[in-house]
Amino acid sequence: MHRLFVGLRPPRAIREQLLALMGGVTGARWQDDSQLHLTLRFIGEIERPLAEDIAIALSSIHYPPLEVALAGVGQFDSRGRPNALWAGVRPHDALAGLHKKVDQALVRCGLAPEGRAYLPHVTLARMNASAGQTDRFLESHAGLASAPFTLDHFLLFESTLGREGAIYEAVERYQLRG
């Protein structure tokens, strides 16, 4: 079985800016440089033949390079408890358009369509925190912004879960072109 997802990798300068934010939240498991990415679509665990079909289907996507920027921070909650801190990425529409193209390619391979609304973000930390524990971080970094940067390719990643968290390996690279 292969645990796959499709994502975008910010350039080094942006990853360094994100790494510099990390800290100050008790119990947070901060992402390291190799884990920083913007997910376009989580695929999940699949068998090798389907993984090969997915790799081929993704190569048929035509989409122009994206010019985006970091924009603010937020958190995801589960039952009122924060479980992830993230950095936002804008503009939403351009990223949502690529997400839709990726989703359509995966549906053609037999996967179910994405059921959740798409929110472009880079996960900074995972946690199981109490409500209020992340307030200071969110307030301190609410104005997070970066200069615009270009994303000219997307990646098919394989994720291996371990004790220290997930290890991501890019298995295919797809150039963005109009």
Side-chain angles (χ1 to χ4, degrees):
M1 295 289 271
H2 299 274
R3 187 172 191 261
L4 303 177
F5 68 92
V6 180
L8 298 156
R9 186 104 159 102
R12 177 177 300 281
I14 298 301
R15 295 191 318 267
E16 288 173 357
Q17 182 180 356
L18 294 172
L19 290 166
L21 299 176
M22 296 180 185
V25 179
T26 304
R29 294 180 315 280
W30 298 100
Q31 303 292 283
D32 65 29
D33 181 67
S34 69
Q35 296 171 313
L36 294 175
H37 68 278
L38 193 159
T39 301
L40 288 169
R41 174 69 151 73
F42 181 73
I43 297 169
E45 292 198 13
I46 57 168
E47 298 289 340
R48 183 172 188 88
L50 181 54
E52 292 169 355
D53 290 347
I54 287 169
I56 292 167
L58 292 173
S59 70
S60 70
I61 292 174
H62 294 279
Y63 204 81
L66 302 163
E67 187 166 294
V68 299
L70 297 177
V73 294
Q75 70 184 21
F76 292 124
D77 298 324
S78 177
R79 298 185 193 128
R81 297 174 62 100
N83 62 11
L85 291 170
W86 50 262
V89 183
R90 300 224 185 272
H92 178 272
D93 292 347
L95 290 159
L98 180 56
H99 162 77
K100 183 176 178 180
K101 291 267 190 175
V102 168
D103 193 51
Q104 290 168 342
L106 297 175
V107 167
R108 286 192 300 273
C109 290
L111 275 67
E114 176 67 62
R116 298 175 292 181
Y118 182 66
L119 174 66
H121 69 279
V122 177
T123 299
L124 302 175
R126 300 193 186 280
M127 68 194 72
N128 186 6
S130 300
Q133 253 184 291
T134 57
D135 291 350
R136 184 179 303 154
F137 178 88
L138 295 171
E139 290 169 15
S140 297
H141 302 294
L144 173 67
S146 71
F149 56 95
T150 300
L151 297 170
D152 63 4
H153 65 277
F154 66 95
L155 301 155
L156 177 62
F157 285 96
E158 182 160 7
S159 173
T160 305
L161 301 177
R163 285 186 180 181
E164 302 300 315
I167 297 170
Y168 304 138
E169 178 186 356
V171 293
E172 291 288 341
R173 177 185 167 122
Y174 305 93
Q175 200 65 36
L176 291 172
R177 58 203 182 285

Short mmCIF file of all heavy atoms in Angstrom, two decimals, residues 50-72:
data_model
loop_
_atom_site.label_atom_id
_atom_site.label_comp_id
_atom_site.label_asym_id
_atom_site.label_seq_id
_atom_site.Cartn_x
_atom_site.Cartn_y
_atom_site.Cartn_z
N LEU A 50 -3.13 1.36 -8.93
CA LEU A 50 -3.87 2.62 -8.91
C LEU A 50 -2.91 3.80 -8.75
O LEU A 50 -3.11 4.85 -9.37
CB LEU A 50 -4.92 2.63 -7.78
CG LEU A 50 -5.77 3.89 -7.66
CD1 LEU A 50 -6.46 4.24 -8.99
CD2 LEU A 50 -6.79 3.74 -6.54
N ALA A 51 -1.86 3.63 -7.97
CA ALA A 51 -0.85 4.69 -7.82
C ALA A 51 -0.24 5.02 -9.18
O ALA A 51 -0.02 6.20 -9.50
CB ALA A 51 0.23 4.27 -6.83
N GLU A 52 0.02 4.04 -9.98
CA GLU A 52 0.57 4.26 -11.32
C GLU A 52 -0.43 4.99 -12.20
O GLU A 52 -0.07 5.90 -12.96
CB GLU A 52 1.02 2.94 -11.94
CG GLU A 52 2.22 2.36 -11.21
CD GLU A 52 2.57 0.93 -11.60
OE1 GLU A 52 1.82 0.30 -12.40
OE2 GLU A 52 3.60 0.44 -11.10
N ASP A 53 -1.71 4.61 -12.13
CA ASP A 53 -2.76 5.31 -12.89
C ASP A 53 -2.85 6.77 -12.47
O ASP A 53 -3.02 7.67 -13.31
CB ASP A 53 -4.12 4.63 -12.69
CG ASP A 53 -4.20 3.26 -13.34
OD1 ASP A 53 -3.32 2.93 -14.17
OD2 ASP A 53 -5.15 2.52 -13.01
N ILE A 54 -2.76 7.02 -11.18
CA ILE A 54 -2.82 8.39 -10.65
C ILE A 54 -1.66 9.21 -11.18
O ILE A 54 -1.83 10.35 -11.62
CB ILE A 54 -2.86 8.37 -9.11
CG1 ILE A 54 -4.24 7.89 -8.64
CG2 ILE A 54 -2.52 9.74 -8.53
CD1 ILE A 54 -4.31 7.58 -7.16
N ALA A 55 -0.46 8.64 -11.16
CA ALA A 55 0.72 9.36 -11.65
C ALA A 55 0.54 9.76 -13.11
O ALA A 55 0.88 10.88 -13.50
CB ALA A 55 1.97 8.50 -11.47
N ILE A 56 -0.03 8.89 -13.90
CA ILE A 56 -0.27 9.19 -15.31
C ILE A 56 -1.36 10.26 -15.45
O ILE A 56 -1.21 11.21 -16.22
CB ILE A 56 -0.64 7.91 -16.09
CG1 ILE A 56 0.58 6.98 -16.15
CG2 ILE A 56 -1.16 8.24 -17.48
CD1 ILE A 56 0.27 5.57 -16.61
N ALA A 57 -2.44 10.12 -14.71
CA ALA A 57 -3.55 11.08 -14.79
C ALA A 57 -3.10 12.48 -14.41
O ALA A 57 -3.50 13.47 -15.04
CB ALA A 57 -4.71 10.63 -13.91
N LEU A 58 -2.26 12.59 -13.39
CA LEU A 58 -1.79 13.91 -12.96
C LEU A 58 -0.92 14.57 -14.03
O LEU A 58 -0.89 15.80 -14.14
CB LEU A 58 -1.02 13.80 -11.64
CG LEU A 58 -1.87 13.43 -10.42
CD1 LEU A 58 -0.97 13.18 -9.21
CD2 LEU A 58 -2.91 14.48 -10.11
N SER A 59 -0.24 13.78 -14.83
CA SER A 59 0.62 14.35 -15.88
C SER A 59 -0.18 15.03 -16.99
O SER A 59 0.38 15.80 -17.77
CB SER A 59 1.53 13.27 -16.47
OG SER A 59 0.79 12.35 -17.24
N SER A 60 -1.48 14.78 -17.03
CA SER A 60 -2.32 15.39 -18.08
C SER A 60 -2.86 16.76 -17.67
O SER A 60 -3.52 17.43 -18.48
CB SER A 60 -3.49 14.46 -18.42
OG SER A 60 -4.40 14.42 -17.33
N ILE A 61 -2.58 17.20 -16.45
CA ILE A 61 -3.11 18.47 -15.97
C ILE A 61 -2.35 19.64 -16.60
O ILE A 61 -1.12 19.67 -16.59
CB ILE A 61 -3.04 18.56 -14.43
CG1 ILE A 61 -4.01 17.55 -13.82
CG2 ILE A 61 -3.33 19.98 -13.93
CD1 ILE A 61 -3.92 17.44 -12.32
N HIS A 62 -3.11 20.56 -17.16
CA HIS A 62 -2.55 21.80 -17.69
C HIS A 62 -3.08 22.95 -16.85
O HIS A 62 -4.29 23.15 -16.75
CB HIS A 62 -2.95 22.00 -19.16
CG HIS A 62 -2.36 20.96 -20.05
ND1 HIS A 62 -1.07 21.04 -20.51
CD2 HIS A 62 -2.87 19.81 -20.53
CE1 HIS A 62 -0.81 19.98 -21.26
NE2 HIS A 62 -1.88 19.22 -21.28
N TYR A 63 -2.17 23.70 -16.24
CA TYR A 63 -2.54 24.82 -15.38
C TYR A 63 -1.35 25.75 -15.34
O TYR A 63 -0.20 25.29 -15.27
CB TYR A 63 -2.91 24.32 -13.97
CG TYR A 63 -3.82 25.24 -13.22
CD1 TYR A 63 -5.19 25.23 -13.46
CD2 TYR A 63 -3.32 26.13 -12.28
CE1 TYR A 63 -6.04 26.07 -12.76
CE2 TYR A 63 -4.16 26.98 -11.58
CZ TYR A 63 -5.53 26.95 -11.83
OH TYR A 63 -6.36 27.79 -11.15
N PRO A 64 -1.58 27.05 -15.36
CA PRO A 64 -0.44 27.98 -15.37
C PRO A 64 0.25 28.03 -14.00
O PRO A 64 -0.35 27.73 -12.97
CB PRO A 64 -1.08 29.33 -15.71
CG PRO A 64 -2.50 29.19 -15.28
CD PRO A 64 -2.88 27.75 -15.45
N PRO A 65 1.52 28.45 -13.99
CA PRO A 65 2.21 28.66 -12.71
C PRO A 65 1.40 29.64 -11.85
O PRO A 65 0.68 30.50 -12.36
CB PRO A 65 3.55 29.27 -13.13
CG PRO A 65 3.77 28.76 -14.52
CD PRO A 65 2.40 28.72 -15.14
N LEU A 66 1.55 29.50 -10.55
CA LEU A 66 0.79 30.29 -9.60
C LEU A 66 1.68 31.32 -8.93
O LEU A 66 2.80 31.00 -8.51
CB LEU A 66 0.21 29.38 -8.51
CG LEU A 66 -0.70 28.26 -8.99
CD1 LEU A 66 -0.86 27.22 -7.90
CD2 LEU A 66 -2.04 28.83 -9.38
N GLU A 67 1.19 32.54 -8.80
CA GLU A 67 1.88 33.54 -7.98
C GLU A 67 1.02 33.72 -6.74
O GLU A 67 -0.14 34.14 -6.81
CB GLU A 67 2.05 34.86 -8.71
CG GLU A 67 2.91 35.81 -7.89
CD GLU A 67 3.41 37.00 -8.69
OE1 GLU A 67 4.20 36.78 -9.61
OE2 GLU A 67 2.97 38.12 -8.37
N VAL A 68 1.59 33.38 -5.59
CA VAL A 68 0.86 33.37 -4.32
C VAL A 68 1.70 34.05 -3.26
O VAL A 68 2.85 34.40 -3.49
CB VAL A 68 0.49 31.93 -3.91
CG1 VAL A 68 -0.41 31.26 -4.93
CG2 VAL A 68 1.74 31.09 -3.69
N ALA A 69 1.12 34.21 -2.07
CA ALA A 69 1.82 34.79 -0.93
C ALA A 69 1.23 34.23 0.36
O ALA A 69 0.07 33.80 0.39
CB ALA A 69 1.69 36.31 -0.94
N LEU A 70 2.03 34.23 1.41
CA LEU A 70 1.53 33.86 2.73
C LEU A 70 0.57 34.95 3.21
O LEU A 70 0.78 36.13 2.93
CB LEU A 70 2.68 33.73 3.72
CG LEU A 70 3.70 32.63 3.43
CD1 LEU A 70 4.82 32.67 4.47
CD2 LEU A 70 3.05 31.26 3.39
N ALA A 71 -0.47 34.54 3.92
CA ALA A 71 -1.48 35.50 4.36
C ALA A 71 -2.15 35.02 5.65
O ALA A 71 -3.13 34.29 5.63
CB ALA A 71 -2.53 35.70 3.27
N GLY A 72 -1.57 35.40 6.79
CA GLY A 72 -2.20 35.12 8.08
C GLY A 72 -1.98 33.70 8.57
O GLY A 72 -1.35 32.88 7.91
#
